[in-house]
Amino acid sequence: MKTTRLRHLLVIASLLFAPGCSPRETTPLPPSGPHGGPLADVGSRKYALEFLLDRTEGHLTLHTLDARAAEAIRTGSEGLELRVRIGDNPQERFLILAPIANSATGEFAGDTTRYAGDAPWLKTREAVSLNVVEIIIRGRKYRDITGFIPAEN
């Protein structure tokens, strides 16, 4: 009887603690998001952020997505603070992205899937390194999410 009980416990423990059981950890992000921008992982494949940079206008848009980067996910953030570096320049700049309301979907500040901001120094062909200081998704805070937009040829 003790041997059977011990076997059951070992089987359960092996299933719970076996490496690679979580699909979030083993499923890589696609090479780009649904809008064509580069992606950043949030919370070990729980969510993704997509960055779109209009280099002519110096306009950055951020989309919040599910783990597969296929569907939009609403967030609870009223706005986003980003730390930004351009090319090899070590100077860190700050950018605030405002929530984008969408009356067609009922989105508003604090319950939206898209954020945007402008800065003249984003009018560059160089690579852009991004760090989202904090974002709230489904009531949980995620900090220091890094993203990268490659240089334009």
Side-chain angles (χ1 to χ4, degrees):
M1 182 93 164
K2 284 185 179 181
T3 306
T4 305
R5 197 176 291 168
L6 181 60
R7 280 188 197 147
H8 284 108
L9 287 174
L10 289 173
V11 169
I12 291 169
S14 69
L15 291 174
L16 289 175
F17 298 108
C21 284
S22 171
R24 288 186 190 132
E25 294 175 9
T26 59
T27 306
L29 285 173
S32 61
H35 306 95
L39 296 168
D41 175 45
V42 179
S44 298
R45 302 292 188 267
K46 288 185 180 181
Y47 307 103
L49 302 180
E50 180 182 17
F51 300 99
L52 298 172
L53 177 58
D54 180 333
R55 295 172 186 274
T56 305
E57 298 295 322
H59 182 80
L60 180 68
T61 303
L62 179 148
H63 294 269
T64 55
L65 304 165
D66 65 2
R68 297 180 337 268
E71 295 184 31
I73 297 290
R74 291 188 186 197
T75 69
S77 300
E78 299 273 338
L80 301 176
E81 179 183 349
L82 276 65
R83 294 188 304 257
V84 182
R85 289 200 172 112
I86 306 296
D88 295 329
N89 188 338
Q91 179 185 6
E92 192 171 72
R93 300 170 185 256
F94 292 89
L95 179 66
I96 301 297
L97 299 184
I100 305 298
N102 184 338
S103 60
T105 61
E107 294 179 41
F108 56 88
D111 187 34
T112 187
T113 63
R114 193 169 49 135
Y115 296 83
D118 300 293
W121 39 265
L122 286 173
K123 296 177 183 179
T124 180
R125 297 175 66 102
E126 295 185 69
V128 179
S129 298
L130 306 154
N131 181 280
V132 179
V133 175
E134 180 179 280
I135 188 168
I136 301 169
I137 303 176
R138 296 199 169 148
R140 184 166 176 201
K141 291 181 183 180
Y142 297 92
R143 292 184 172 96
D144 294 321
I145 298 120
T146 57
F148 182 77
I149 301 172
E152 187 178 71
N153 294 330

PDB file of all heavy atoms in Angstrom, residues 49 62 64 73-81 97-100 108-115 132-142 145:
ATOM      1  N   LEU A  49       4.474  42.838 -26.502  1.00  0.00           N
ATOM      2  CA  LEU A  49       4.307  44.225 -26.919  1.00  0.00           C
ATOM      3  C   LEU A  49       4.853  44.346 -28.329  1.00  0.00           C
ATOM      4  O   LEU A  49       5.907  43.794 -28.645  1.00  0.00           O
ATOM      5  CB  LEU A  49       5.077  45.180 -25.997  1.00  0.00           C
ATOM      6  CG  LEU A  49       4.740  45.148 -24.518  1.00  0.00           C
ATOM      7  CD1 LEU A  49       5.607  46.153 -23.766  1.00  0.00           C
ATOM      8  CD2 LEU A  49       3.268  45.417 -24.282  1.00  0.00           C
ATOM      9  N   LEU A  62       2.660  51.613 -29.591  1.00  0.00           N
ATOM     10  CA  LEU A  62       2.850  50.342 -28.899  1.00  0.00           C
ATOM     11  C   LEU A  62       1.500  49.637 -28.832  1.00  0.00           C
ATOM     12  O   LEU A  62       0.499  50.245 -28.444  1.00  0.00           O
ATOM     13  CB  LEU A  62       3.386  50.605 -27.488  1.00  0.00           C
ATOM     14  CG  LEU A  62       3.628  49.399 -26.604  1.00  0.00           C
ATOM     15  CD1 LEU A  62       4.801  49.687 -25.675  1.00  0.00           C
ATOM     16  CD2 LEU A  62       2.412  49.049 -25.780  1.00  0.00           C
ATOM     17  N   THR A  64      -0.498  46.160 -27.283  1.00  0.00           N
ATOM     18  CA  THR A  64      -0.415  45.077 -26.301  1.00  0.00           C
ATOM     19  C   THR A  64      -1.145  43.861 -26.862  1.00  0.00           C
ATOM     20  O   THR A  64      -2.274  43.968 -27.331  1.00  0.00           O
ATOM     21  CB  THR A  64      -1.006  45.500 -24.947  1.00  0.00           C
ATOM     22  OG1 THR A  64      -2.338  45.966 -25.132  1.00  0.00           O
ATOM     23  CG2 THR A  64      -0.175  46.605 -24.321  1.00  0.00           C
ATOM     24  N   ILE A  73      -4.753  42.726 -26.326  1.00  0.00           N
ATOM     25  CA  ILE A  73      -5.084  42.552 -24.918  1.00  0.00           C
ATOM     26  C   ILE A  73      -5.187  43.942 -24.297  1.00  0.00           C
ATOM     27  O   ILE A  73      -4.261  44.741 -24.400  1.00  0.00           O
ATOM     28  CB  ILE A  73      -3.988  41.738 -24.180  1.00  0.00           C
ATOM     29  CG1 ILE A  73      -3.870  40.334 -24.745  1.00  0.00           C
ATOM     30  CG2 ILE A  73      -4.229  41.719 -22.676  1.00  0.00           C
ATOM     31  CD1 ILE A  73      -5.027  39.429 -24.440  1.00  0.00           C
ATOM     32  N   ARG A  74      -6.288  44.221 -23.625  1.00  0.00           N
ATOM     33  CA  ARG A  74      -6.454  45.513 -22.964  1.00  0.00           C
ATOM     34  C   ARG A  74      -5.600  45.586 -21.707  1.00  0.00           C
ATOM     35  O   ARG A  74      -5.393  44.584 -21.026  1.00  0.00           O
ATOM     36  CB  ARG A  74      -7.920  45.753 -22.613  1.00  0.00           C
ATOM     37  CG  ARG A  74      -8.761  45.964 -23.855  1.00  0.00           C
ATOM     38  CD  ARG A  74     -10.150  46.381 -23.475  1.00  0.00           C
ATOM     39  NE  ARG A  74     -10.999  46.457 -24.648  1.00  0.00           N
ATOM     40  CZ  ARG A  74     -12.138  47.100 -24.662  1.00  0.00           C
ATOM     41  NH1 ARG A  74     -12.592  47.704 -23.582  1.00  0.00           N
ATOM     42  NH2 ARG A  74     -12.849  47.151 -25.767  1.00  0.00           N
ATOM     43  N   THR A  75      -5.124  46.780 -21.431  1.00  0.00           N
ATOM     44  CA  THR A  75      -4.270  46.995 -20.260  1.00  0.00           C
ATOM     45  C   THR A  75      -4.916  47.992 -19.310  1.00  0.00           C
ATOM     46  O   THR A  75      -5.829  48.728 -19.689  1.00  0.00           O
ATOM     47  CB  THR A  75      -2.896  47.550 -20.674  1.00  0.00           C
ATOM     48  OG1 THR A  75      -3.087  48.877 -21.159  1.00  0.00           O
ATOM     49  CG2 THR A  75      -2.247  46.694 -21.726  1.00  0.00           C
ATOM     50  N   GLY A  76      -4.397  48.033 -18.094  1.00  0.00           N
ATOM     51  CA  GLY A  76      -4.912  48.952 -17.088  1.00  0.00           C
ATOM     52  C   GLY A  76      -4.053  50.182 -16.903  1.00  0.00           C
ATOM     53  O   GLY A  76      -4.268  50.951 -15.974  1.00  0.00           O
ATOM     54  N   SER A  77      -3.082  50.400 -17.763  1.00  0.00           N
ATOM     55  CA  SER A  77      -2.174  51.541 -17.618  1.00  0.00           C
ATOM     56  C   SER A  77      -2.786  52.806 -18.199  1.00  0.00           C
ATOM     57  O   SER A  77      -3.322  52.801 -19.304  1.00  0.00           O
ATOM     58  CB  SER A  77      -0.839  51.252 -18.304  1.00  0.00           C
ATOM     59  OG  SER A  77      -0.218  50.128 -17.730  1.00  0.00           O
ATOM     60  N   GLU A  78      -2.677  53.901 -17.449  1.00  0.00           N
ATOM     61  CA  GLU A  78      -3.184  55.206 -17.901  1.00  0.00           C
ATOM     62  C   GLU A  78      -2.244  55.856 -18.910  1.00  0.00           C
ATOM     63  O   GLU A  78      -2.606  56.787 -19.599  1.00  0.00           O
ATOM     64  CB  GLU A  78      -3.366  56.128 -16.696  1.00  0.00           C
ATOM     65  CG  GLU A  78      -4.364  55.615 -15.687  1.00  0.00           C
ATOM     66  CD  GLU A  78      -5.785  56.024 -15.995  1.00  0.00           C
ATOM     67  OE1 GLU A  78      -5.971  57.015 -16.716  1.00  0.00           O
ATOM     68  OE2 GLU A  78      -6.699  55.340 -15.524  1.00  0.00           O
ATOM     69  N   GLY A  79      -1.027  55.399 -18.959  1.00  0.00           N
ATOM     70  CA  GLY A  79       0.011  55.896 -19.850  1.00  0.00           C
ATOM     71  C   GLY A  79       1.254  55.075 -19.590  1.00  0.00           C
ATOM     72  O   GLY A  79       1.336  54.366 -18.588  1.00  0.00           O
ATOM     73  N   LEU A  80       2.241  55.157 -20.476  1.00  0.00           N
ATOM     74  CA  LEU A  80       3.458  54.371 -20.326  1.00  0.00           C
ATOM     75  C   LEU A  80       4.685  55.266 -20.402  1.00  0.00           C
ATOM     76  O   LEU A  80       4.767  56.148 -21.263  1.00  0.00           O
ATOM     77  CB  LEU A  80       3.552  53.307 -21.423  1.00  0.00           C
ATOM     78  CG  LEU A  80       2.409  52.302 -21.495  1.00  0.00           C
ATOM     79  CD1 LEU A  80       2.597  51.379 -22.694  1.00  0.00           C
ATOM     80  CD2 LEU A  80       2.308  51.502 -20.212  1.00  0.00           C
ATOM     81  N   GLU A  81       5.627  55.026 -19.511  1.00  0.00           N
ATOM     82  CA  GLU A  81       6.904  55.730 -19.540  1.00  0.00           C
ATOM     83  C   GLU A  81       7.930  54.796 -20.158  1.00  0.00           C
ATOM     84  O   GLU A  81       8.064  53.645 -19.737  1.00  0.00           O
ATOM     85  CB  GLU A  81       7.337  56.117 -18.128  1.00  0.00           C
ATOM     86  CG  GLU A  81       8.669  56.827 -18.096  1.00  0.00           C
ATOM     87  CD  GLU A  81       9.124  57.152 -16.682  1.00  0.00           C
ATOM     88  OE1 GLU A  81       8.332  57.020 -15.743  1.00  0.00           O
ATOM     89  OE2 GLU A  81      10.303  57.518 -16.540  1.00  0.00           O
ATOM     90  N   LEU A  97       4.083  57.557 -23.488  1.00  0.00           N
ATOM     91  CA  LEU A  97       3.088  57.136 -24.472  1.00  0.00           C
ATOM     92  C   LEU A  97       1.709  57.282 -23.845  1.00  0.00           C
ATOM     93  O   LEU A  97       1.459  56.789 -22.743  1.00  0.00           O
ATOM     94  CB  LEU A  97       3.314  55.683 -24.890  1.00  0.00           C
ATOM     95  CG  LEU A  97       4.651  55.346 -25.545  1.00  0.00           C
ATOM     96  CD1 LEU A  97       4.670  53.887 -25.989  1.00  0.00           C
ATOM     97  CD2 LEU A  97       4.944  56.260 -26.718  1.00  0.00           C
ATOM     98  N   ALA A  98       0.823  57.947 -24.548  1.00  0.00           N
ATOM     99  CA  ALA A  98      -0.547  58.159 -24.073  1.00  0.00           C
ATOM    100  C   ALA A  98      -1.448  57.044 -24.585  1.00  0.00           C
ATOM    101  O   ALA A  98      -1.241  56.520 -25.681  1.00  0.00           O
ATOM    102  CB  ALA A  98      -1.066  59.510 -24.573  1.00  0.00           C
ATOM    103  N   PRO A  99      -2.459  56.685 -23.798  1.00  0.00           N
ATOM    104  CA  PRO A  99      -3.408  55.669 -24.260  1.00  0.00           C
ATOM    105  C   PRO A  99      -4.230  56.211 -25.428  1.00  0.00           C
ATOM    106  O   PRO A  99      -4.561  57.396 -25.465  1.00  0.00           O
ATOM    107  CB  PRO A  99      -4.281  55.404 -23.039  1.00  0.00           C
ATOM    108  CG  PRO A  99      -4.135  56.612 -22.193  1.00  0.00           C
ATOM    109  CD  PRO A  99      -2.787  57.200 -22.479  1.00  0.00           C
ATOM    110  N   ILE A 100      -4.553  55.348 -26.369  1.00  0.00           N
ATOM    111  CA  ILE A 100      -5.358  55.726 -27.528  1.00  0.00           C
ATOM    112  C   ILE A 100      -6.759  55.152 -27.344  1.00  0.00           C
ATOM    113  O   ILE A 100      -6.933  53.939 -27.293  1.00  0.00           O
ATOM    114  CB  ILE A 100      -4.743  55.195 -28.843  1.00  0.00           C
ATOM    115  CG1 ILE A 100      -3.289  55.654 -28.990  1.00  0.00           C
ATOM    116  CG2 ILE A 100      -5.594  55.596 -30.036  1.00  0.00           C
ATOM    117  CD1 ILE A 100      -3.107  57.151 -29.063  1.00  0.00           C
ATOM    118  N   PHE A 108     -10.681  53.011 -23.666  1.00  0.00           N
ATOM    119  CA  PHE A 108     -10.422  54.336 -23.090  1.00  0.00           C
ATOM    120  C   PHE A 108      -9.164  54.247 -22.236  1.00  0.00           C
ATOM    121  O   PHE A 108      -8.630  53.150 -22.013  1.00  0.00           O
ATOM    122  CB  PHE A 108     -11.626  54.810 -22.269  1.00  0.00           C
ATOM    123  CG  PHE A 108     -12.033  53.843 -21.189  1.00  0.00           C
ATOM    124  CD1 PHE A 108     -11.475  53.892 -19.921  1.00  0.00           C
ATOM    125  CD2 PHE A 108     -12.979  52.856 -21.459  1.00  0.00           C
ATOM    126  CE1 PHE A 108     -11.843  52.987 -18.941  1.00  0.00           C
ATOM    127  CE2 PHE A 108     -13.350  51.945 -20.474  1.00  0.00           C
ATOM    128  CZ  PHE A 108     -12.786  52.009 -19.214  1.00  0.00           C
ATOM    129  N   ALA A 109      -8.666  55.386 -21.752  1.00  0.00           N
ATOM    130  CA  ALA A 109      -7.469  55.404 -20.903  1.00  0.00           C
ATOM    131  C   ALA A 109      -7.701  54.493 -19.704  1.00  0.00           C
ATOM    132  O   ALA A 109      -8.711  54.586 -19.028  1.00  0.00           O
ATOM    133  CB  ALA A 109      -7.157  56.819 -20.451  1.00  0.00           C
ATOM    134  N   GLY A 110      -6.771  53.591 -19.460  1.00  0.00           N
ATOM    135  CA  GLY A 110      -6.909  52.636 -18.371  1.00  0.00           C
ATOM    136  C   GLY A 110      -7.574  51.339 -18.798  1.00  0.00           C
ATOM    137  O   GLY A 110      -7.714  50.414 -18.009  1.00  0.00           O
ATOM    138  N   ASP A 111      -7.971  51.256 -20.073  1.00  0.00           N
ATOM    139  CA  ASP A 111      -8.586  50.037 -20.615  1.00  0.00           C
ATOM    140  C   ASP A 111      -8.446  50.075 -22.134  1.00  0.00           C
ATOM    141  O   ASP A 111      -9.416  50.229 -22.864  1.00  0.00           O
ATOM    142  CB  ASP A 111     -10.055  49.941 -20.206  1.00  0.00           C
ATOM    143  CG  ASP A 111     -10.680  48.599 -20.598  1.00  0.00           C
ATOM    144  OD1 ASP A 111      -9.967  47.582 -20.558  1.00  0.00           O
ATOM    145  OD2 ASP A 111     -11.881  48.589 -20.937  1.00  0.00           O
ATOM    146  N   THR A 112      -7.193  49.972 -22.587  1.00  0.00           N
ATOM    147  CA  THR A 112      -6.922  50.083 -24.012  1.00  0.00           C
ATOM    148  C   THR A 112      -5.844  49.100 -24.445  1.00  0.00           C
ATOM    149  O   THR A 112      -5.183  48.485 -23.611  1.00  0.00           O
ATOM    150  CB  THR A 112      -6.505  51.534 -24.372  1.00  0.00           C
ATOM    151  OG1 THR A 112      -6.414  51.659 -25.789  1.00  0.00           O
ATOM    152  CG2 THR A 112      -5.167  51.909 -23.747  1.00  0.00           C
ATOM    153  N   THR A 113      -5.659  48.959 -25.748  1.00  0.00           N
ATOM    154  CA  THR A 113      -4.665  48.050 -26.308  1.00  0.00           C
ATOM    155  C   THR A 113      -3.545  48.789 -27.035  1.00  0.00           C
ATOM    156  O   THR A 113      -2.627  48.159 -27.543  1.00  0.00           O
ATOM    157  CB  THR A 113      -5.315  47.091 -27.318  1.00  0.00           C
ATOM    158  OG1 THR A 113      -5.840  47.855 -28.412  1.00  0.00           O
ATOM    159  CG2 THR A 113      -6.424  46.291 -26.681  1.00  0.00           C
ATOM    160  N   ARG A 114      -3.657  50.130 -27.090  1.00  0.00           N
ATOM    161  CA  ARG A 114      -2.710  50.887 -27.915  1.00  0.00           C
ATOM    162  C   ARG A 114      -2.298  52.174 -27.222  1.00  0.00           C
ATOM    163  O   ARG A 114      -3.114  52.862 -26.611  1.00  0.00           O
ATOM    164  CB  ARG A 114      -3.375  51.198 -29.258  1.00  0.00           C
ATOM    165  CG  ARG A 114      -2.458  51.693 -30.309  1.00  0.00           C
ATOM    166  CD  ARG A 114      -3.145  51.708 -31.655  1.00  0.00           C
ATOM    167  NE  ARG A 114      -4.441  52.358 -31.589  1.00  0.00           N
ATOM    168  CZ  ARG A 114      -4.883  53.235 -32.476  1.00  0.00           C
ATOM    169  NH1 ARG A 114      -4.157  53.549 -33.508  1.00  0.00           N
ATOM    170  NH2 ARG A 114      -6.075  53.774 -32.334  1.00  0.00           N
ATOM    171  N   TYR A 115      -1.004  52.497 -27.356  1.00  0.00           N
ATOM    172  CA  TYR A 115      -0.425  53.710 -26.790  1.00  0.00           C
ATOM    173  C   TYR A 115       0.427  54.368 -27.861  1.00  0.00           C
ATOM    174  O   TYR A 115       0.975  53.678 -28.731  1.00  0.00           O
ATOM    175  CB  TYR A 115       0.454  53.373 -25.582  1.00  0.00           C
ATOM    176  CG  TYR A 115      -0.317  52.763 -24.440  1.00  0.00           C
ATOM    177  CD1 TYR A 115      -0.610  51.411 -24.427  1.00  0.00           C
ATOM    178  CD2 TYR A 115      -0.767  53.547 -23.393  1.00  0.00           C
ATOM    179  CE1 TYR A 115      -1.338  50.843 -23.393  1.00  0.00           C
ATOM    180  CE2 TYR A 115      -1.489  52.995 -22.350  1.00  0.00           C
ATOM    181  CZ  TYR A 115      -1.771  51.641 -22.353  1.00  0.00           C
ATOM    182  OH  TYR A 115      -2.498  51.094 -21.330  1.00  0.00           O
ATOM    183  N   VAL A 132      10.206  49.651 -21.424  1.00  0.00           N
ATOM    184  CA  VAL A 132       8.931  50.067 -20.834  1.00  0.00           C
ATOM    185  C   VAL A 132       9.099  49.940 -19.328  1.00  0.00           C
ATOM    186  O   VAL A 132       9.326  48.847 -18.807  1.00  0.00           O
ATOM    187  CB  VAL A 132       7.763  49.192 -21.344  1.00  0.00           C
ATOM    188  CG1 VAL A 132       6.455  49.619 -20.695  1.00  0.00           C
ATOM    189  CG2 VAL A 132       7.668  49.263 -22.863  1.00  0.00           C
ATOM    190  N   VAL A 133       9.008  51.069 -18.624  1.00  0.00           N
ATOM    191  CA  VAL A 133       9.261  51.085 -17.183  1.00  0.00           C
ATOM    192  C   VAL A 133       8.256  50.204 -16.449  1.00  0.00           C
ATOM    193  O   VAL A 133       8.638  49.377 -15.626  1.00  0.00           O
ATOM    194  CB  VAL A 133       9.242  52.533 -16.644  1.00  0.00           C
ATOM    195  CG1 VAL A 133       9.374  52.554 -15.134  1.00  0.00           C
ATOM    196  CG2 VAL A 133      10.360  53.346 -17.301  1.00  0.00           C
ATOM    197  N   GLU A 134       6.967  50.349 -16.777  1.00  0.00           N
ATOM    198  CA  GLU A 134       5.944  49.530 -16.117  1.00  0.00           C
ATOM    199  C   GLU A 134       4.675  49.524 -16.960  1.00  0.00           C
ATOM    200  O   GLU A 134       4.306  50.533 -17.548  1.00  0.00           O
ATOM    201  CB  GLU A 134       5.629  50.109 -14.735  1.00  0.00           C
ATOM    202  CG  GLU A 134       4.570  49.327 -13.979  1.00  0.00           C
ATOM    203  CD  GLU A 134       4.297  49.910 -12.604  1.00  0.00           C
ATOM    204  OE1 GLU A 134       5.091  49.635 -11.694  1.00  0.00           O
ATOM    205  OE2 GLU A 134       3.314  50.664 -12.469  1.00  0.00           O
ATOM    206  N   ILE A 135       4.025  48.369 -17.001  1.00  0.00           N
ATOM    207  CA  ILE A 135       2.731  48.238 -17.669  1.00  0.00           C
ATOM    208  C   ILE A 135       1.851  47.322 -16.823  1.00  0.00           C
ATOM    209  O   ILE A 135       2.353  46.373 -16.211  1.00  0.00           O
ATOM    210  CB  ILE A 135       2.879  47.713 -19.119  1.00  0.00           C
ATOM    211  CG1 ILE A 135       1.542  47.769 -19.863  1.00  0.00           C
ATOM    212  CG2 ILE A 135       3.479  46.320 -19.147  1.00  0.00           C
ATOM    213  CD1 ILE A 135       1.668  47.553 -21.362  1.00  0.00           C
ATOM    214  N   ILE A 136       0.578  47.624 -16.766  1.00  0.00           N
ATOM    215  CA  ILE A 136      -0.374  46.803 -16.022  1.00  0.00           C
ATOM    216  C   ILE A 136      -1.242  46.048 -17.022  1.00  0.00           C
ATOM    217  O   ILE A 136      -1.927  46.658 -17.836  1.00  0.00           O
ATOM    218  CB  ILE A 136      -1.259  47.666 -15.105  1.00  0.00           C
ATOM    219  CG1 ILE A 136      -0.390  48.438 -14.115  1.00  0.00           C
ATOM    220  CG2 ILE A 136      -2.284  46.791 -14.368  1.00  0.00           C
ATOM    221  CD1 ILE A 136      -1.144  49.513 -13.355  1.00  0.00           C
ATOM    222  N   ILE A 137      -1.166  44.718 -16.949  1.00  0.00           N
ATOM    223  CA  ILE A 137      -1.984  43.879 -17.830  1.00  0.00           C
ATOM    224  C   ILE A 137      -2.769  42.919 -16.950  1.00  0.00           C
ATOM    225  O   ILE A 137      -2.188  42.168 -16.169  1.00  0.00           O
ATOM    226  CB  ILE A 137      -1.124  43.097 -18.842  1.00  0.00           C
ATOM    227  CG1 ILE A 137      -0.270  44.060 -19.671  1.00  0.00           C
ATOM    228  CG2 ILE A 137      -2.013  42.249 -19.746  1.00  0.00           C
ATOM    229  CD1 ILE A 137       0.677  43.374 -20.634  1.00  0.00           C
ATOM    230  N   ARG A 138      -4.076  42.986 -17.105  1.00  0.00           N
ATOM    231  CA  ARG A 138      -5.001  42.140 -16.335  1.00  0.00           C
ATOM    232  C   ARG A 138      -4.709  42.188 -14.831  1.00  0.00           C
ATOM    233  O   ARG A 138      -4.638  41.171 -14.158  1.00  0.00           O
ATOM    234  CB  ARG A 138      -4.992  40.723 -16.865  1.00  0.00           C
ATOM    235  CG  ARG A 138      -5.513  40.688 -18.302  1.00  0.00           C
ATOM    236  CD  ARG A 138      -5.951  39.343 -18.739  1.00  0.00           C
ATOM    237  NE  ARG A 138      -6.662  39.471 -20.006  1.00  0.00           N
ATOM    238  CZ  ARG A 138      -6.657  38.559 -20.941  1.00  0.00           C
ATOM    239  NH1 ARG A 138      -6.017  37.426 -20.760  1.00  0.00           N
ATOM    240  NH2 ARG A 138      -7.335  38.751 -22.049  1.00  0.00           N
ATOM    241  N   GLY A 139      -4.487  43.418 -14.347  1.00  0.00           N
ATOM    242  CA  GLY A 139      -4.314  43.656 -12.924  1.00  0.00           C
ATOM    243  C   GLY A 139      -2.931  43.385 -12.375  1.00  0.00           C
ATOM    244  O   GLY A 139      -2.674  43.622 -11.207  1.00  0.00           O
ATOM    245  N   ARG A 140      -2.008  42.927 -13.206  1.00  0.00           N
ATOM    246  CA  ARG A 140      -0.650  42.626 -12.735  1.00  0.00           C
ATOM    247  C   ARG A 140       0.351  43.598 -13.349  1.00  0.00           C
ATOM    248  O   ARG A 140       0.268  43.910 -14.537  1.00  0.00           O
ATOM    249  CB  ARG A 140      -0.280  41.196 -13.112  1.00  0.00           C
ATOM    250  CG  ARG A 140       1.056  40.808 -12.572  1.00  0.00           C
ATOM    251  CD  ARG A 140       1.284  39.342 -12.639  1.00  0.00           C
ATOM    252  NE  ARG A 140       2.635  39.075 -12.173  1.00  0.00           N
ATOM    253  CZ  ARG A 140       3.305  37.991 -12.445  1.00  0.00           C
ATOM    254  NH1 ARG A 140       2.752  37.038 -13.165  1.00  0.00           N
ATOM    255  NH2 ARG A 140       4.522  37.825 -12.001  1.00  0.00           N
ATOM    256  N   LYS A 141       1.299  44.052 -12.527  1.00  0.00           N
ATOM    257  CA  LYS A 141       2.334  44.975 -12.999  1.00  0.00           C
ATOM    258  C   LYS A 141       3.526  44.193 -13.544  1.00  0.00           C
ATOM    259  O   LYS A 141       4.001  43.255 -12.922  1.00  0.00           O
ATOM    260  CB  LYS A 141       2.814  45.863 -11.857  1.00  0.00           C
ATOM    261  CG  LYS A 141       1.783  46.854 -11.399  1.00  0.00           C
ATOM    262  CD  LYS A 141       2.339  47.728 -10.287  1.00  0.00           C
ATOM    263  CE  LYS A 141       1.243  48.682  -9.800  1.00  0.00           C
ATOM    264  NZ  LYS A 141       1.743  49.553  -8.730  1.00  0.00           N
ATOM    265  N   TYR A 142       3.992  44.631 -14.706  1.00  0.00           N
ATOM    266  CA  TYR A 142       5.211  44.090 -15.314  1.00  0.00           C
ATOM    267  C   TYR A 142       6.162  45.262 -15.488  1.00  0.00           C
ATOM    268  O   TYR A 142       5.755  46.327 -15.944  1.00  0.00           O
ATOM    269  CB  TYR A 142       4.908  43.435 -16.663  1.00  0.00           C
ATOM    270  CG  TYR A 142       3.987  42.246 -16.535  1.00  0.00           C
ATOM    271  CD1 TYR A 142       2.607  42.401 -16.644  1.00  0.00           C
ATOM    272  CD2 TYR A 142       4.494  40.979 -16.280  1.00  0.00           C
ATOM    273  CE1 TYR A 142       1.758  41.313 -16.512  1.00  0.00           C
ATOM    274  CE2 TYR A 142       3.650  39.886 -16.149  1.00  0.00           C
ATOM    275  CZ  TYR A 142       2.283  40.068 -16.266  1.00  0.00           C
ATOM    276  OH  TYR A 142       1.439  38.990 -16.130  1.00  0.00           O
ATOM    277  N   ILE A 145      10.419  46.039 -19.394  1.00  0.00           N
ATOM    278  CA  ILE A 145      10.274  45.225 -20.602  1.00  0.00           C
ATOM    279  C   ILE A 145      11.123  45.871 -21.691  1.00  0.00           C
ATOM    280  O   ILE A 145      10.947  47.042 -22.012  1.00  0.00           O
ATOM    281  CB  ILE A 145       8.804  45.126 -21.047  1.00  0.00           C
ATOM    282  CG1 ILE A 145       7.985  44.443 -19.953  1.00  0.00           C
ATOM    283  CG2 ILE A 145       8.672  44.348 -22.334  1.00  0.00           C
ATOM    284  CD1 ILE A 145       6.907  45.271 -19.428  1.00  0.00           C
TER     285      ILE A 145
END
